Amino acid sequence: MHMETVTRASLIEQIYQQVGLSRRESAVLLEDILETVMAALERGESVKISGFGTFAVRKKGQRSGRNPKTGQEVPIMPRSVLVFRSSQLLKAEVNHETLEAGAQDDE
């Protein structure tokens, strides 16, 4: 199965073709959207895009890990991780299914 990667350039081209903005305006629009999403995530806010999913930052506390080579226990420092939870609608689209009425609200 061949999978393509969606890039900034391909998104800009899609905006250009479907919305009718110039390529430059399409690039500015995309960059503004991405900057807004990144700024919200940096502040620890969730970003919910209806029908697509939710991006959120989750805090992971310090925990113990083990070096696989030596077996020695090592501390894993606290950190933040980015998580994405897809909407029911996106899951259904990916699986070529249809959602029953009311299930679309469960995002």
Side-chain angles (χ1 to χ4, degrees):
M1 179 164 105
H2 176 68
M3 297 180 68
E4 291 186 32
T5 301
V6 176
T7 63
R8 270 185 158 101
S10 66
L11 289 172
I12 290 166
E13 187 64 24
Q14 287 294 312
I15 294 168
Y16 166 72
Q17 290 179 5
Q18 294 180 18
V19 179
L21 298 175
S22 70
R23 281 190 173 86
R24 186 187 159 298
E25 291 169 327
S26 299
V28 169
L29 175 64
L30 179 62
E31 291 304 322
D32 286 349
I33 291 168
L34 294 176
E35 283 293 324
T36 301
V37 169
M38 287 189 292
L41 293 169
E42 286 173 7
R43 291 189 302 267
E45 300 171 3
S46 293
V47 177
K48 181 177 181 178
I49 302 172
S50 184
F52 185 73
T54 303
F55 295 92
V57 176
R58 192 174 76 206
K59 306 277 188 206
K60 287 187 142 190
Q62 183 170 339
R63 58 194 170 97
S64 293
R66 200 170 292 281
N67 182 325
K69 286 188 178 181
T70 65
Q72 180 181 4
E73 213 170 276
V74 293
I76 299 173
M77 301 311 288
R79 61 191 175 121
S80 297
V81 294
L82 181 63
V83 293
F84 174 73
R85 183 171 185 267
S86 60
S87 71
Q88 293 298 318
L89 183 61
L90 179 59
K91 287 178 189 175
E93 289 285 331
V94 167
N95 290 307
H96 307 291
E97 299 170 351
T98 56
L99 282 181
E100 295 177 23
Q104 295 177 17
D105 298 331
D106 182 29
E107 294 178 21

